[in-house]
Amino acid sequence: MARGGFREGAGRKKEYNEPVKKILLGLPESVLKQLDSFASAKNLSRPKAVAILVEQAMQQGGQIAV
């Protein structure tokens, strides 16, 4: 009996319509708590929350106060 293999519609759906590059990101604990609070309030994963926050910052003229 054969097992496994590709099935139409099987597996996790892609969040993005482009390739995803994995990174390791170090954040202060206080910033991580803020990120998690934002993600939780919006029912998002951490990576999706980061992507949305970066997109919002870029829409505001791309100027991020440092």
Side-chain angles (χ1 to χ4, degrees):
M1 174 187 272
R3 293 185 157 223
F6 178 77
R7 290 186 322 239
E8 185 75 28
R12 183 181 293 186
K13 305 301 180 226
K14 293 182 178 182
E15 278 192 75
Y16 305 100
N17 294 325
E18 59 184 284
V20 175
K21 174 86 172 169
K22 299 209 182 253
I23 62 167
L24 175 64
L25 176 66
L27 294 173
E29 289 183 14
S30 61
V31 174
L32 186 56
K33 285 180 185 177
Q34 290 176 339
L35 176 61
D36 286 342
S37 292
F38 175 81
S40 179
K42 303 288 186 183
N43 197 28
L44 301 169
S45 64
R46 272 186 191 164
K48 190 69 172 180
V50 169
I52 287 172
L53 290 168
V54 168
E55 189 174 306
Q56 286 177 357
M58 296 306 292
Q59 287 177 356
Q60 295 174 1
Q63 300 298 319
I64 300 174
V66 181

